[in-house]
Amino acid sequence: MKKLFPIYVRIPVFFALFFIALEFFIDSGDRPAFIKYPILNLILLIFILILVAVELVLLATNKVLDTLLTDEQRKAKELEESLPITEQAFFKNIMQKLTRTRKIEEENDLIMNHNYDGIQELDNVLPPWWVYLFYICIIFSGVYLVRYHVLGYDDQKTEFDKEMAAAKIQVEEYKKTAPDLMDKDKVTLLTDAVSINAGKAIFQTNCVACHKADGGGAIGPNLTDKFWINGGGIKNVFNTIMEGGRAGKGMISWKDQIKPSDIQKVASYVLSLQGTNPAGGKAPEGDEWKEEGATASATPATAVDSTKTK
């Protein structure tokens, strides 16, 4: 085993495991734990010195034991070390170290004096892998107890709840400034020239067939007067373009063809046509809209029928 994992391999492995343990058990945020807490560097140095000391003691012990071997034992050991380590022998050696199994020929040395109806008990040791795992569980439970029940670190559920709450806040903040997530409740009237011109371009591409280029109305109603079938104001006009007019005979819904931010621009452009009164404009349809009543529900049209709504 030591031939495959010499001291210059074992120490870096322990070093890496130490760093992993630091990052796992110490909450240091975005910075590495050994940078945020310099005292850990001293602990790390002591840890490495202990590892080196242990390796040196083992090396010295092996040399002392070698001096106590007989010539035959020394030759057998040298012969064993000189033999190439095959894959089968390597894994067999690993299993031997993990289980400490004894050969069947040595069973008589393990039989205890207990005898129950002819059934005898063997004094086998616990497998080292089980013992080490048991010790690791004890250490882990101690660290867990101190971390979460003494120091008061957040457990997984608390961390999840905090992250979800933070994510919800981020989503809400994003929605406030994300134009393509615009809806009727958040839409506002745009008055800058860039937005109005952009809305005009979309209007001329999609709306002139029913409302004419000047908004005076053709199949659809006149958009320049104060009368509205589904209510005036930016919120109602935006919602009418998004969801469409009256079922079966009104304007289609444009939300699948025009994104919400552009619908906001179109609605703002339509409202900018108020009062222009182009020549040949269509007769009023619907009910008169007063801006101070923008928060009230729009009154359905009853006087005049139309195949388009506004």
Side-chain angles (χ1 to χ4, degrees):
M1 189 70 176
K2 291 185 178 180
K3 291 173 65 177
L4 292 177
F5 300 100
I7 184 172
Y8 54 82
V9 173
R10 293 197 296 272
I11 287 183
V13 169
F14 285 125
F15 186 83
L17 293 176
F18 182 82
F19 267 100
I20 294 173
L22 288 181
E23 294 300 324
F24 179 78
F25 291 110
I26 298 178
D27 185 9
S28 58
D30 297 333
R31 301 173 61 191
F34 71 95
I35 294 179
K36 187 171 182 179
Y37 305 104
I39 188 63
L40 295 176
N41 294 322
L42 178 61
I43 298 175
L44 179 60
L45 178 61
I46 296 174
F47 181 75
I48 295 299
L49 292 176
I50 292 174
L51 286 180
V52 173
V54 170
E55 292 292 344
L56 292 177
V57 170
L58 292 176
L59 183 61
T61 303
N62 289 334
K63 289 185 176 181
V64 171
L65 293 177
D66 288 342
T67 60
L68 300 178
L69 296 176
T70 62
D71 292 340
E72 293 182 357
Q73 290 174 332
R74 189 176 294 106
K75 289 180 180 180
K77 183 178 179 180
E78 291 175 355
L79 177 62
E80 181 182 355
E81 292 178 349
S82 64
L83 293 175
I85 301 179
T86 63
E87 183 177 355
Q88 181 178 2
F90 170 72
F91 286 106
K92 187 176 181 179
N93 188 32
I94 291 292
M95 292 302 298
Q96 173 63 29
K97 290 182 178 297
L98 289 176
T99 60
R100 288 187 182 175
T101 54
R102 301 284 292 272
K103 297 179 180 180
I104 190 67
E105 292 82 3
E106 301 175 358
E107 186 175 284
N108 290 330
D109 299 333
L110 301 175
I111 293 179
M112 302 179 67
N113 294 326
H114 303 162
N115 191 324
Y116 302 95
D117 295 333
I119 300 175
Q120 292 180 295
E121 183 180 357
L122 296 179
D123 187 19
N124 283 315
V125 297
L126 290 172
W129 68 266
W130 189 95
V131 176
Y132 296 151
L133 184 60
F134 180 69
Y135 292 153
I136 291 173
C137 290
I138 294 175
I139 295 172
F140 178 84
S141 62
V143 173
Y144 186 93
L145 176 66
V146 172
R147 179 180 174 87
Y148 295 108
H149 297 281
V150 178
L151 299 180
Y153 280 81
D154 294 338
D155 57 19
Q156 289 181 330
K157 183 180 183 303
T158 305
E159 288 180 353
F160 175 79
D161 292 339
K162 286 184 176 180
E163 290 177 0
M164 290 300 294
K168 185 175 181 180
I169 293 174
Q170 292 177 355
V171 169
E172 293 302 323
E173 289 297 322
Y174 174 76
K175 287 181 178 180
K176 292 179 181 179
T177 57
D180 284 346
L181 294 179
M182 189 66 65
D183 58 26
K184 179 182 177 181
D185 297 325
K186 294 186 295 185
V187 68
T188 56
L189 180 65
L190 302 175
T191 57
D192 60 286
V194 175
S195 298
I196 296 299
N197 290 333
K200 180 179 179 180
I202 300 172
F203 180 88
Q204 292 176 345
T205 302
N206 300 281
C207 309
V208 295
C210 297
H211 297 285
K212 299 175 64 173
D214 56 13
I219 300 175
N222 189 336
L223 302 178
T224 65
D225 57 36
K226 296 181 179 180
F227 293 84
W228 299 85
I229 297 174
N230 289 320
I234 185 62
K235 294 184 181 297
N236 290 315
V237 175
F238 175 89
N239 187 66
T240 301
I241 300 173
M242 277 279 290
E243 304 299 336
R246 294 170 295 172
K249 55 183 178 180
M251 183 176 67
I252 65 170
S253 169
W254 289 93
K255 62 184 178 182
D256 294 331
Q257 303 176 53
I258 305 176
K259 60 184 181 181
S261 59
D262 288 338
I263 292 179
Q264 180 188 23
K265 296 172 185 177
V266 175
S268 298
Y269 169 71
V270 168
L271 292 176
S272 73
L273 299 176
Q274 289 286 283
T276 56
N277 300 320
K282 197 173 181 181
E285 300 175 56
D287 299 307
E288 184 177 359
W289 175 263
K290 296 181 180 180
E291 192 59 38
E292 59 268 22
T295 57
S297 299
T299 304
T302 55
V304 183
D305 189 17
S306 175
T307 57
K308 291 288 180 177
T309 65
K310 67 172 185 174

